[in-house]
Amino acid sequence: QVQLVESGGGLVQSGGSLRLSCAASGSIFSTRTMAWYRQAPGKQREWVASIDSGGSTYYTDSVKGRFTISRDNGKNTVYLQMNSLKPEDTAVYYCNTGPLPLDSWGQGTQVTVSS
């Protein structure tokens, strides 16, 4: 069973930065595209960024130039560096595979950006 454990969230002021981490168990990691998703209160979960097995990265328009996704295959970990945070980035952030996530999700990590 795959386990995904997100961490690194917190409360930050607008314009601040956070770095999220996601540790993945199992053999899925190094050969799969990994992605970050987020779910804001009252909204559906949305895709944020992906990184494929070759290191190519993709971002939703609203975070381009502010967020950076990276991975460390030796540690089975994917990261999301978030800079210039805005109140609209407030959400629970999850990692999973991309473009189709696995049915199993981690607990997520809460990011709250105050204005």
Side-chain angles (χ1 to χ4, degrees):
Q1 184 176 359
V2 174
Q3 284 190 319
L4 301 163
V5 181
E6 301 92 347
S7 62
L11 173 63
V12 63
Q13 289 188 335
S14 183
S17 298
L18 285 172
R19 188 193 194 206
L20 307 184
S21 299
C22 171
S25 67
S27 60
I28 65 165
F29 191 83
S30 62
T31 61
R32 299 289 296 268
T33 293
M34 296 300 296
W36 284 95
Y37 303 81
R38 66 186 179 186
Q39 186 167 20
K43 295 187 177 181
Q44 289 191 336
R45 188 175 291 161
E46 65 172 351
W47 168 76
V48 174
S50 296
I51 183 166
D52 67 20
S53 58
S56 295
T57 58
Y58 309 88
Y59 301 92
T60 193
D61 286 346
S62 63
V63 308
K64 283 180 181 176
R66 300 188 298 120
F67 290 12
T68 303
I69 188 172
S70 61
R71 67 192 297 163
D72 184 335
N73 289 338
K75 296 182 178 180
N76 277 13
T77 301
V78 61
Y79 304 97
L80 187 67
Q81 177 67 43
M82 306 187 296
N83 298 328
S84 302
L85 282 161
K86 304 175 180 180
E88 51 264 44
D89 295 317
T90 295
V92 179
Y93 284 71
Y94 303 87
C95 72
N96 208 315
T97 56
L100 294 177
L102 301 172
D103 290 338
S104 176
W105 292 82
Q107 83 288 348
T109 187
Q110 175 71 48
V111 171
T112 302
V113 185
S114 63
S115 57

